[in-house]
Amino acid sequence: MNARAASRPVGTVTRGTTNPNRLRRMDRWIAAAHGGALRRAVDPVAVDLGYGAAPWTAVELLGRLRTVAPRARVVGVEIEPARVAAARPYEREGLAFRHGGFEIPLSARPLLIRAANVLRQYDESEVADVWQRLCGRLAPGGLLVEGTCDEIGRRHVWVALGTEGPRTVTFATRLGSLERPSDLAERLPKALIHRNVPGEPVHAFLRDFDRAWAAAAPYASYGARQRWIRAVRDLTADWPVTDSAVRWRQGEVTVAWEALAPSD
């Protein structure tokens, strides 16, 4: 293999669709769950992988991380050279853009890799290898957050992974737009979206969530937030919910990966 082939970015070009504030739910969760690790790190580097046709998500990630880790740095990584060139004018202290893909072309290992709406175009069979490759680039104690959201960030589901592999799945939504929790099924990450069928754990979870939501209907008179909190509280009887009402109030719930992982 020649040097040019060896240095070719790993992956394929995505559609590049992006909107300002699209990833706010994921970013808020990252700041809460991983802010302490970023704050303690000597060099807290975060990667926005596949930021798309415009650099808004990388710019916003830096601002949100710096509320909890003032020394955080963000590197936006894109496989399409024209997108990198278009983003370069937005570079400033703590924010840079690089041409690359799943190989993560940084000399330092990042403490965070965020990959939102990147794997939707890949086959489910490719996800495990991509996860392994990205987790292999993390610094010790690092976190990979990979998931999918709608175009304006109202509904979002992501998997959090450490160097050992997947840990949790988080469901997050704008509660005022939600008819039932299973509406989030359309935003399941690639590892789970084709598993929302009878016999699979994620299907059973969403079924139970819908039932808990229906049972919590009397709480709707106090607002969608109180109904969500009550439904999630009922879920904890049968599912390993890993967070607390502090996060539920944000329209989130996080569940241990092992409980939702594909049956095979």
Side-chain angles (χ1 to χ4, degrees), residues 69-257:
R71 294 180 294 106
R73 296 191 294 122
V74 170
V75 180
V77 174
E78 248 297 338
I79 200 167
E80 172 54 63
R83 296 175 184 172
V84 180
R88 285 267 161 80
Y90 294 87
E91 290 188 331
R92 60 175 187 265
E93 186 275 324
L95 180 63
F97 296 93
R98 298 287 183 272
H99 179 222
F102 296 139
E103 77 285 357
I104 308 296
L106 278 68
S107 57
R109 290 183 179 271
L111 199 59
L112 169 71
I113 299 174
R114 185 189 66 182
N117 304 301
V118 172
L119 296 186
R120 289 285 280 188
Q121 68 183 30
Y122 288 80
D123 290 335
E124 182 185 352
S125 61
E126 299 176 274
V127 172
D129 286 343
V130 172
W131 280 359
Q132 185 176 25
R133 178 185 287 271
L134 294 176
C135 288
R137 291 291 293 129
L138 289 171
L143 190 71
L144 165 64
V145 182
E146 186 273 309
T148 304
C149 70
D150 65 5
E151 287 73 12
I152 57 175
R154 294 172 303 175
R155 297 172 186 172
H156 208 152
V157 187
W158 60 81
V159 181
L161 306 93
T163 53
E164 78 285 0
R167 296 174 178 172
T168 60
V169 184
T170 298
F171 300 78
T173 186
R174 180 181 179 274
L175 292 172
S177 70
L178 191 72
E179 183 175 348
R180 60 181 64 87
S182 61
D183 291 346
L184 286 159
E186 66 183 19
R187 297 302 165 182
L188 287 167
K190 194 67 178 190
L192 296 174
I193 194 165
H194 299 302
R195 302 307 181 115
N196 186 30
V197 294
E200 288 287 345
V202 71
H203 181 271
F205 172 77
L206 290 171
R207 177 203 63 204
D208 288 357
F209 205 169
D210 278 354
R211 290 173 177 172
W213 179 254
Y219 288 82
S221 59
Y222 301 106
R225 177 177 290 111
Q226 292 305 315
R227 185 179 183 182
W228 175 272
I229 290 171
R230 180 64 202 188
V232 174
R233 198 177 301 280
D234 288 348
L235 273 181
T236 63
D238 299 304
W239 294 92
V241 173
T242 65
D243 53 3
S244 70
V246 173
R247 302 310 306 172
W248 306 343
R249 290 183 60 82
Q250 305 297 319
E252 297 175 10
V253 60
T254 298
V255 183
W257 165 259

